[in-house]
PDB file of all heavy atoms in Angstrom:
ATOM      1  N   GLY A  24     -41.545  58.082  32.592  1.00 68.00           N
ATOM      2  CA  GLY A  24     -41.845  57.187  33.702  1.00 68.00           C
ATOM      3  C   GLY A  24     -43.332  57.182  33.973  1.00 68.00           C
ATOM      4  O   GLY A  24     -44.135  57.239  33.046  1.00 68.00           O
ATOM      5  N   LEU A  25     -43.705  57.128  35.237  1.00 79.00           N
ATOM      6  CA  LEU A  25     -45.110  57.133  35.620  1.00 79.00           C
ATOM      7  C   LEU A  25     -45.445  58.419  36.372  1.00 79.00           C
ATOM      8  O   LEU A  25     -44.675  58.857  37.221  1.00 79.00           O
ATOM      9  CB  LEU A  25     -45.428  55.931  36.510  1.00 79.00           C
ATOM     10  CG  LEU A  25     -45.383  54.554  35.840  1.00 79.00           C
ATOM     11  CD1 LEU A  25     -45.580  53.471  36.888  1.00 79.00           C
ATOM     12  CD2 LEU A  25     -46.448  54.444  34.765  1.00 79.00           C
ATOM     13  N   VAL A  26     -46.563  59.005  36.038  1.00 91.00           N
ATOM     14  CA  VAL A  26     -47.032  60.198  36.731  1.00 91.00           C
ATOM     15  C   VAL A  26     -48.435  59.882  37.245  1.00 91.00           C
ATOM     16  O   VAL A  26     -49.428  60.063  36.544  1.00 91.00           O
ATOM     17  CB  VAL A  26     -47.054  61.422  35.792  1.00 91.00           C
ATOM     18  CG1 VAL A  26     -47.508  62.656  36.549  1.00 91.00           C
ATOM     19  CG2 VAL A  26     -45.671  61.653  35.202  1.00 91.00           C
ATOM     20  N   VAL A  27     -48.486  59.372  38.470  1.00 96.00           N
ATOM     21  CA  VAL A  27     -49.760  58.898  39.016  1.00 96.00           C
ATOM     22  C   VAL A  27     -49.959  59.472  40.413  1.00 96.00           C
ATOM     23  O   VAL A  27     -49.397  58.971  41.388  1.00 96.00           O
ATOM     24  CB  VAL A  27     -49.795  57.354  39.087  1.00 96.00           C
ATOM     25  CG1 VAL A  27     -51.193  56.888  39.497  1.00 96.00           C
ATOM     26  CG2 VAL A  27     -49.399  56.741  37.755  1.00 96.00           C
ATOM     27  N   PRO A  28     -50.752  60.526  40.547  1.00 97.00           N
ATOM     28  CA  PRO A  28     -51.065  61.048  41.879  1.00 97.00           C
ATOM     29  C   PRO A  28     -52.012  60.107  42.620  1.00 97.00           C
ATOM     30  O   PRO A  28     -52.440  59.079  42.069  1.00 97.00           O
ATOM     31  CB  PRO A  28     -51.728  62.394  41.586  1.00 97.00           C
ATOM     32  CG  PRO A  28     -52.321  62.224  40.225  1.00 97.00           C
ATOM     33  CD  PRO A  28     -51.404  61.293  39.485  1.00 97.00           C
ATOM     34  N   GLU A  29     -52.353  60.459  43.848  1.00 97.00           N
ATOM     35  CA  GLU A  29     -53.196  59.602  44.670  1.00 97.00           C
ATOM     36  C   GLU A  29     -54.637  60.103  44.674  1.00 97.00           C
ATOM     37  O   GLU A  29     -54.916  61.205  44.245  1.00 97.00           O
ATOM     38  CB  GLU A  29     -52.682  59.572  46.118  1.00 97.00           C
ATOM     39  CG  GLU A  29     -51.180  59.442  46.260  1.00 97.00           C
ATOM     40  CD  GLU A  29     -50.455  60.781  46.164  1.00 97.00           C
ATOM     41  OE1 GLU A  29     -51.139  61.831  46.064  1.00 97.00           O
ATOM     42  OE2 GLU A  29     -49.216  60.767  46.179  1.00 97.00           O
ATOM     43  N   CYS A  30     -55.522  59.233  45.190  1.00 97.00           N
ATOM     44  CA  CYS A  30     -56.922  59.622  45.423  1.00 97.00           C
ATOM     45  C   CYS A  30     -57.599  59.997  44.103  1.00 97.00           C
ATOM     46  O   CYS A  30     -58.016  61.140  43.895  1.00 97.00           O
ATOM     47  CB  CYS A  30     -56.977  60.785  46.410  1.00 97.00           C
ATOM     48  SG  CYS A  30     -58.560  61.053  47.204  1.00 97.00           S
ATOM     49  N   LEU A  31     -57.738  59.028  43.213  1.00 98.00           N
ATOM     50  CA  LEU A  31     -58.166  59.299  41.845  1.00 98.00           C
ATOM     51  C   LEU A  31     -59.608  58.929  41.530  1.00 98.00           C
ATOM     52  O   LEU A  31     -60.138  59.359  40.493  1.00 98.00           O
ATOM     53  CB  LEU A  31     -57.245  58.540  40.865  1.00 98.00           C
ATOM     54  CG  LEU A  31     -55.772  58.918  40.879  1.00 98.00           C
ATOM     55  CD1 LEU A  31     -55.006  58.058  39.892  1.00 98.00           C
ATOM     56  CD2 LEU A  31     -55.584  60.385  40.561  1.00 98.00           C
ATOM     57  N   GLU A  32     -60.250  58.136  42.362  1.00 97.00           N
ATOM     58  CA  GLU A  32     -61.583  57.651  42.033  1.00 97.00           C
ATOM     59  C   GLU A  32     -62.543  58.792  41.690  1.00 97.00           C
ATOM     60  O   GLU A  32     -62.629  59.781  42.412  1.00 97.00           O
ATOM     61  CB  GLU A  32     -62.152  56.830  43.193  1.00 97.00           C
ATOM     62  CG  GLU A  32     -61.498  55.468  43.373  1.00 97.00           C
ATOM     63  CD  GLU A  32     -60.246  55.516  44.235  1.00 97.00           C
ATOM     64  OE1 GLU A  32     -59.775  56.644  44.547  1.00 97.00           O
ATOM     65  OE2 GLU A  32     -59.721  54.449  44.597  1.00 97.00           O
ATOM     66  N   THR A  33     -63.218  58.668  40.569  1.00 98.00           N
ATOM     67  CA  THR A  33     -64.229  59.589  40.018  1.00 98.00           C
ATOM     68  C   THR A  33     -63.643  60.916  39.513  1.00 98.00           C
ATOM     69  O   THR A  33     -64.389  61.799  39.089  1.00 98.00           O
ATOM     70  CB  THR A  33     -65.360  59.899  41.019  1.00 98.00           C
ATOM     71  OG1 THR A  33     -64.876  60.785  42.047  1.00 98.00           O
ATOM     72  CG2 THR A  33     -65.914  58.634  41.660  1.00 98.00           C
ATOM     73  N   CYS A  34     -62.332  61.085  39.556  1.00 98.00           N
ATOM     74  CA  CYS A  34     -61.729  62.353  39.116  1.00 98.00           C
ATOM     75  C   CYS A  34     -61.784  62.516  37.599  1.00 98.00           C
ATOM     76  O   CYS A  34     -61.787  61.548  36.837  1.00 98.00           O
ATOM     77  CB  CYS A  34     -60.272  62.422  39.571  1.00 98.00           C
ATOM     78  SG  CYS A  34     -60.045  62.784  41.319  1.00 98.00           S
ATOM     79  N   TRP A  35     -61.807  63.772  37.180  1.00 98.00           N
ATOM     80  CA  TRP A  35     -61.627  64.130  35.776  1.00 98.00           C
ATOM     81  C   TRP A  35     -60.185  64.601  35.604  1.00 98.00           C
ATOM     82  O   TRP A  35     -59.748  65.526  36.289  1.00 98.00           O
ATOM     83  CB  TRP A  35     -62.622  65.228  35.373  1.00 98.00           C
ATOM     84  CG  TRP A  35     -63.981  64.661  35.067  1.00 98.00           C
ATOM     85  CD1 TRP A  35     -64.780  63.948  35.905  1.00 98.00           C
ATOM     86  CD2 TRP A  35     -64.675  64.753  33.829  1.00 98.00           C
ATOM     87  NE1 TRP A  35     -65.930  63.581  35.274  1.00 98.00           N
ATOM     88  CE2 TRP A  35     -65.900  64.069  33.989  1.00 98.00           C
ATOM     89  CE3 TRP A  35     -64.397  65.358  32.602  1.00 98.00           C
ATOM     90  CZ2 TRP A  35     -66.845  63.952  32.965  1.00 98.00           C
ATOM     91  CZ3 TRP A  35     -65.336  65.257  31.582  1.00 98.00           C
ATOM     92  CH2 TRP A  35     -66.540  64.558  31.761  1.00 98.00           C
ATOM     93  N   ILE A  36     -59.467  63.941  34.684  1.00 98.00           N
ATOM     94  CA  ILE A  36     -58.029  64.168  34.527  1.00 98.00           C
ATOM     95  C   ILE A  36     -57.723  64.575  33.093  1.00 98.00           C
ATOM     96  O   ILE A  36     -58.265  64.009  32.137  1.00 98.00           O
ATOM     97  CB  ILE A  36     -57.225  62.901  34.885  1.00 98.00           C
ATOM     98  CG1 ILE A  36     -57.501  62.490  36.337  1.00 98.00           C
ATOM     99  CG2 ILE A  36     -55.731  63.116  34.665  1.00 98.00           C
ATOM    100  CD1 ILE A  36     -56.779  61.207  36.758  1.00 98.00           C
ATOM    101  N   LEU A  37     -56.822  65.540  32.947  1.00 98.00           N
ATOM    102  CA  LEU A  37     -56.319  65.963  31.636  1.00 98.00           C
ATOM    103  C   LEU A  37     -54.836  65.640  31.554  1.00 98.00           C
ATOM    104  O   LEU A  37     -54.066  66.017  32.443  1.00 98.00           O
ATOM    105  CB  LEU A  37     -56.538  67.468  31.441  1.00 98.00           C
ATOM    106  CG  LEU A  37     -55.890  68.094  30.200  1.00 98.00           C
ATOM    107  CD1 LEU A  37     -56.512  67.533  28.923  1.00 98.00           C
ATOM    108  CD2 LEU A  37     -56.015  69.620  30.240  1.00 98.00           C
ATOM    109  N   ASP A  38     -54.434  64.936  30.493  1.00 98.00           N
ATOM    110  CA  ASP A  38     -53.040  64.574  30.279  1.00 98.00           C
ATOM    111  C   ASP A  38     -52.477  65.434  29.151  1.00 98.00           C
ATOM    112  O   ASP A  38     -52.907  65.328  27.995  1.00 98.00           O
ATOM    113  CB  ASP A  38     -52.940  63.083  29.918  1.00 98.00           C
ATOM    114  CG  ASP A  38     -51.500  62.608  29.738  1.00 98.00           C
ATOM    115  OD1 ASP A  38     -50.559  63.418  29.945  1.00 98.00           O
ATOM    116  OD2 ASP A  38     -51.303  61.431  29.390  1.00 98.00           O
ATOM    117  N   LEU A  39     -51.514  66.295  29.477  1.00 98.00           N
ATOM    118  CA  LEU A  39     -50.866  67.157  28.489  1.00 98.00           C
ATOM    119  C   LEU A  39     -49.754  66.381  27.778  1.00 98.00           C
ATOM    120  O   LEU A  39     -48.846  65.868  28.424  1.00 98.00           O
ATOM    121  CB  LEU A  39     -50.274  68.394  29.165  1.00 98.00           C
ATOM    122  CG  LEU A  39     -51.223  69.250  30.013  1.00 98.00           C
ATOM    123  CD1 LEU A  39     -50.458  70.411  30.632  1.00 98.00           C
ATOM    124  CD2 LEU A  39     -52.392  69.757  29.186  1.00 98.00           C
ATOM    125  N   GLY A  40     -49.819  66.328  26.462  1.00 96.00           N
ATOM    126  CA  GLY A  40     -48.827  65.566  25.715  1.00 96.00           C
ATOM    127  C   GLY A  40     -49.024  64.075  25.918  1.00 96.00           C
ATOM    128  O   GLY A  40     -48.099  63.358  26.296  1.00 96.00           O
ATOM    129  N   SER A  41     -50.224  63.607  25.651  1.00 96.00           N
ATOM    130  CA  SER A  41     -50.607  62.238  26.008  1.00 96.00           C
ATOM    131  C   SER A  41     -50.033  61.168  25.096  1.00 96.00           C
ATOM    132  O   SER A  41     -50.106  59.976  25.416  1.00 96.00           O
ATOM    133  CB  SER A  41     -52.133  62.123  26.014  1.00 96.00           C
ATOM    134  OG  SER A  41     -52.681  62.585  24.789  1.00 96.00           O
ATOM    135  N   GLY A  42     -49.471  61.557  23.957  1.00 95.00           N
ATOM    136  CA  GLY A  42     -48.843  60.582  23.080  1.00 95.00           C
ATOM    137  C   GLY A  42     -49.797  59.487  22.645  1.00 95.00           C
ATOM    138  O   GLY A  42     -50.949  59.742  22.261  1.00 95.00           O
ATOM    139  N   SER A  43     -49.345  58.245  22.714  1.00 95.00           N
ATOM    140  CA  SER A  43     -50.161  57.110  22.272  1.00 95.00           C
ATOM    141  C   SER A  43     -51.243  56.739  23.266  1.00 95.00           C
ATOM    142  O   SER A  43     -52.073  55.865  22.986  1.00 95.00           O
ATOM    143  CB  SER A  43     -49.261  55.893  22.023  1.00 95.00           C
ATOM    144  OG  SER A  43     -48.636  55.486  23.233  1.00 95.00           O
ATOM    145  N   GLY A  44     -51.247  57.384  24.457  1.00 96.00           N
ATOM    146  CA  GLY A  44     -52.333  57.186  25.398  1.00 96.00           C
ATOM    147  C   GLY A  44     -52.082  56.204  26.523  1.00 96.00           C
ATOM    148  O   GLY A  44     -53.015  55.857  27.256  1.00 96.00           O
ATOM    149  N   ARG A  45     -50.838  55.777  26.717  1.00 96.00           N
ATOM    150  CA  ARG A  45     -50.571  54.790  27.763  1.00 96.00           C
ATOM    151  C   ARG A  45     -51.051  55.261  29.132  1.00 96.00           C
ATOM    152  O   ARG A  45     -51.807  54.564  29.822  1.00 96.00           O
ATOM    153  CB  ARG A  45     -49.078  54.463  27.845  1.00 96.00           C
ATOM    154  CG  ARG A  45     -48.783  53.330  28.821  1.00 96.00           C
ATOM    155  CD  ARG A  45     -47.345  53.331  29.296  1.00 96.00           C
ATOM    156  NE  ARG A  45     -47.063  54.473  30.180  1.00 96.00           N
ATOM    157  CZ  ARG A  45     -45.919  54.604  30.860  1.00 96.00           C
ATOM    158  NH1 ARG A  45     -44.971  53.698  30.742  1.00 96.00           N
ATOM    159  NH2 ARG A  45     -45.728  55.658  31.636  1.00 96.00           N
ATOM    160  N   ASP A  46     -50.616  56.466  29.547  1.00 96.00           N
ATOM    161  CA  ASP A  46     -51.003  56.971  30.863  1.00 96.00           C
ATOM    162  C   ASP A  46     -52.510  57.199  30.946  1.00 96.00           C
ATOM    163  O   ASP A  46     -53.129  56.970  31.988  1.00 96.00           O
ATOM    164  CB  ASP A  46     -50.260  58.275  31.174  1.00 96.00           C
ATOM    165  CG  ASP A  46     -48.789  58.038  31.496  1.00 96.00           C
ATOM    166  OD1 ASP A  46     -48.365  56.863  31.538  1.00 96.00           O
ATOM    167  OD2 ASP A  46     -48.071  59.041  31.699  1.00 96.00           O
ATOM    168  N   CYS A  47     -53.112  57.649  29.849  1.00 97.00           N
ATOM    169  CA  CYS A  47     -54.556  57.905  29.853  1.00 97.00           C
ATOM    170  C   CYS A  47     -55.331  56.622  30.109  1.00 97.00           C
ATOM    171  O   CYS A  47     -56.288  56.606  30.906  1.00 97.00           O
ATOM    172  CB  CYS A  47     -54.986  58.518  28.532  1.00 97.00           C
ATOM    173  SG  CYS A  47     -54.443  60.230  28.289  1.00 97.00           S
ATOM    174  N   TYR A  48     -54.952  55.545  29.441  1.00 97.00           N
ATOM    175  CA  TYR A  48     -55.669  54.290  29.630  1.00 97.00           C
ATOM    176  C   TYR A  48     -55.439  53.714  31.025  1.00 97.00           C
ATOM    177  O   TYR A  48     -56.360  53.169  31.643  1.00 97.00           O
ATOM    178  CB  TYR A  48     -55.273  53.288  28.549  1.00 97.00           C
ATOM    179  CG  TYR A  48     -55.901  53.603  27.209  1.00 97.00           C
ATOM    180  CD1 TYR A  48     -55.131  53.802  26.079  1.00 97.00           C
ATOM    181  CD2 TYR A  48     -57.291  53.709  27.103  1.00 97.00           C
ATOM    182  CE1 TYR A  48     -55.717  54.091  24.856  1.00 97.00           C
ATOM    183  CE2 TYR A  48     -57.884  54.003  25.880  1.00 97.00           C
ATOM    184  CZ  TYR A  48     -57.093  54.193  24.760  1.00 97.00           C
ATOM    185  OH  TYR A  48     -57.683  54.493  23.556  1.00 97.00           O
ATOM    186  N   MET A  49     -54.215  53.844  31.513  1.00 96.00           N
ATOM    187  CA  MET A  49     -53.956  53.395  32.879  1.00 96.00           C
ATOM    188  C   MET A  49     -54.823  54.185  33.860  1.00 96.00           C
ATOM    189  O   MET A  49     -55.471  53.610  34.749  1.00 96.00           O
ATOM    190  CB  MET A  49     -52.480  53.597  33.230  1.00 96.00           C
ATOM    191  CG  MET A  49     -52.133  53.357  34.692  1.00 96.00           C
ATOM    192  SD  MET A  49     -50.441  53.813  35.080  1.00 96.00           S
ATOM    193  CE  MET A  49     -50.453  55.561  34.699  1.00 96.00           C
ATOM    194  N   LEU A  50     -54.875  55.495  33.692  1.00 97.00           N
ATOM    195  CA  LEU A  50     -55.663  56.339  34.591  1.00 97.00           C
ATOM    196  C   LEU A  50     -57.162  56.127  34.422  1.00 97.00           C
ATOM    197  O   LEU A  50     -57.924  56.240  35.384  1.00 97.00           O
ATOM    198  CB  LEU A  50     -55.310  57.811  34.356  1.00 97.00           C
ATOM    199  CG  LEU A  50     -53.900  58.225  34.799  1.00 97.00           C
ATOM    200  CD1 LEU A  50     -53.528  59.576  34.220  1.00 97.00           C
ATOM    201  CD2 LEU A  50     -53.801  58.246  36.315  1.00 97.00           C
TER     202      LEU A  50
END
Side-chain angles (χ1 to χ4, degrees):
L25 291 174
V26 182
V27 187
E29 317 84 4
C30 199
L31 298 178
E32 288 86 350
T33 74
C34 284
W35 279 59
I36 300 178
L37 172 65
D38 183 3
L39 305 179
S41 53
S43 63
R45 186 201 70 171
D46 287 357
C47 289
Y48 285 123
M49 171 187 61
L50 291 166

